[in-house]
Amino acid sequence: MTDTTVSGAGLRRSGRVAEAGVLWFLALVTAAALAVDAFVHADLAPGYDGVTADVSQGDLFRIEAAAAALAALVVLVWHRRPAAWAFAFLVAAGGVFAVMLYRYVDVGSLGPLPNMYEPIWYPEKTASVIAEAVGAGTALLGLVLAWRFRHRRVAAA
């Protein structure tokens, strides 16, 4: 008869491999969503340079593109760290919030920010908000899992 028992160490190792695989998959999806967000904002930025107060909407789009690109890189490199997921979530969720706010509410100018009210949908805007929503969802899941995995490892040590 063959012994089919698995040692505690073997279970812990296979658990860590599964955790790493889940976090890696979520990191790839999150980074892809953030890359779409970055591309769309960088592509649209020149067309919004004329919407200005102290800062132009084009400059804000460039800042969003840079933040999204950085968040994508950070979550790929440090996908085991909850802070990387928190940063990716804040960038993606902030993008969703901004799009929805300025789509449905005429906020007007806020300090140095221009009035960015735009009550229409067009393909690039739709692609951006979908990518941001997917990125926010996967980043939030990654944050929760990375935090749980980290605390489980600390408790087991």
Side-chain angles (χ1 to χ4, degrees), residues 46-70:
Y48 286 91
D49 283 334
V51 181
T52 188
D54 291 341
V55 178
S56 79
Q57 188 172 349
D59 289 339
L60 293 172
F61 274 30
R62 288 179 188 90
I63 291 167
E64 171 65 19
L70 178 61

Side-chain angles (χ1 to χ4, degrees), residues 35-82:
V36 170
D37 179 28
F39 174 80
V40 169
H41 280 88
D43 186 51
L44 291 175
Y48 286 91
D49 283 334
V51 181
T52 188
D54 291 341
V55 178
S56 79
Q57 188 172 349
D59 289 339
L60 293 172
F61 274 30
R62 288 179 188 90
I63 291 167
E64 171 65 19
L70 178 61
L73 181 62
V74 165
V75 82
L76 285 174
V77 174
W78 291 295
H79 60 275
R80 288 183 165 258
R81 299 175 187 252

Side-chain angles (χ1 to χ4, degrees), residues 30-42 68 72 124 127-132:
T30 303
L34 288 164
V36 170
D37 179 28
F39 174 80
V40 169
H41 280 88
E124 287 175 303
S128 173
V129 79
I130 289 170
E132 290 164 345

Side-chain angles (χ1 to χ4, degrees), residues 3 11 14 22-23 29-30 56 61 76 78 104-105 131 139 151:
D3 183 12
L11 283 175
S14 66
V22 168
L23 289 177
V29 174
T30 303
S56 79
F61 274 30
L76 285 174
W78 291 295
Y104 294 106
V105 180
H151 284 354

Side-chain angles (χ1 to χ4, degrees), residues 6 51 82 127 146 154:
V6 178
V51 181
V154 169

